[in-house]
Amino acid sequence: MKRPLSLILFFLFSAGQSSGKDISRDFEIVRFSATKPDFSKGIWAFDLQSDKCNPKTYGDGRGESPCLGGRRSIQIRAPKHVKPGQKAVYSFEIFIPSDFRYDGDPRYPAFSRLFVTEWKRLKGAKNHLYEMALESHRGATFERKVCFSPKEFGKWNTFQLSINWSGKNDGYLEARCNGRVILSRINTQTLIPPDCAAEYKLQCDPARQNTKPDIMWVIGPNLYGYGKNYRELSHSPPSAFPPFPPNGVKIMVRNIQVKRTRR
């Protein structure tokens, strides 16, 4: 028996509003981070540096590393991963300084190279799913939907994602920012983003999608580079590293939760 839309949305909202355990302290530093973030009094503080990158190769046979590809990142990941077929609610609070400035990549105006949280599979290149991008003229956006505007910089903002990681038409996805629904999808698969081939999802290649690996959740600033073919793609003078935000990238995150649900 199919549940009516109103009941489905009630389940989603109820799951997201239930009290959960703050697991901020349990998050682990991602091995390809350039430096380590600070954790104090329940808050993760990230300070991305323009001259820092990780030289370790990814280990997938490409021979590429964050430094070779021009990627600068400081990220933490959830201690447990969610499997395809499971339902979960992810939430956290994030603080972006009021003086943050980053207008994106001038050569790719549809795509912000700076992300602050991402969901991706444990295995595979160009196999990423959903992300929150950050720019000073658009604000924070989740899948191109405005989460909070630049006017909300300088204070704490909340984000919540309720999702059924399904490859069938019983999947759902609902994203809330400061309690407001910004994106809702029901009766659909969620393991492959519907806009995977779009220009603004450079880390999602439809031909490389493998829906079997677990889903990893990472938080922290990640400024993607131009890759090993940077001479064909980047600005002048040629560099694998894209332009860096003039005031740097300093963000804080707290009250991180991830809960598996039945609905």
Side-chain angles (χ1 to χ4, degrees), residues 112-237:
S112 171
R113 292 187 173 273
L114 178 61
F115 297 100
V116 292
T117 187
E118 302 172 78
W119 286 262
K120 54 186 179 181
R121 298 189 179 94
L122 279 176
K123 299 179 180 179
K126 304 291 184 180
N127 207 358
H128 295 201
L129 300 168
Y130 306 102
E131 52 264 320
M132 178 185 288
L134 184 61
E135 295 172 308
S136 52
H137 61 294
R138 291 189 180 102
T141 57
F142 177 78
E143 297 300 292
R144 305 202 84 196
K145 303 295 183 180
V146 175
C147 180
F148 55 90
S149 72
K151 294 181 180 180
E152 308 305 316
F153 293 171
K155 68 178 185 180
W156 289 97
N157 292 276
T158 63
F159 176 80
Q160 179 187 89
L161 175 67
S162 301
I163 190 167
N164 175 12
W165 293 108
S166 176
K168 302 177 181 179
N169 62 3
D170 61 344
Y172 60 75
L173 177 156
E174 183 186 80
R176 288 177 175 265
C177 294
N178 295 327
R180 176 177 58 91
V181 176
I182 63 166
L183 179 62
S184 178
R185 295 171 181 163
I186 61 172
N187 300 327
T188 182
Q189 65 83 27
T190 55
L191 287 175
I192 300 178
D195 48 357
C196 183
E199 177 188 0
Y200 52 86
K201 291 189 76 69
L202 295 183
Q203 296 300 317
C204 193
D205 181 355
R208 304 190 193 187
Q209 296 302 303
N210 178 359
T211 60
K212 294 182 180 180
D214 293 353
I215 295 96
M216 176 171 63
W217 182 30
V218 298
I219 298 176
N222 183 10
L223 185 58
Y224 279 101
Y226 294 112
K228 61 182 180 181
N229 297 323
Y230 69 88
R231 294 186 182 279
E232 305 170 13
L233 304 173
S234 73
H235 50 88
S236 180

Side-chain angles (χ1 to χ4, degrees), residues 96-102 114 134-136 153 245 247-251:
I96 308 298
S98 57
D99 65 348
F100 171 76
R101 297 291 181 271
Y102 176 66
L114 178 61
L134 184 61
E135 295 172 308
S136 52
F153 293 171
N247 295 341
V249 183
K250 299 179 181 180
I251 70 173

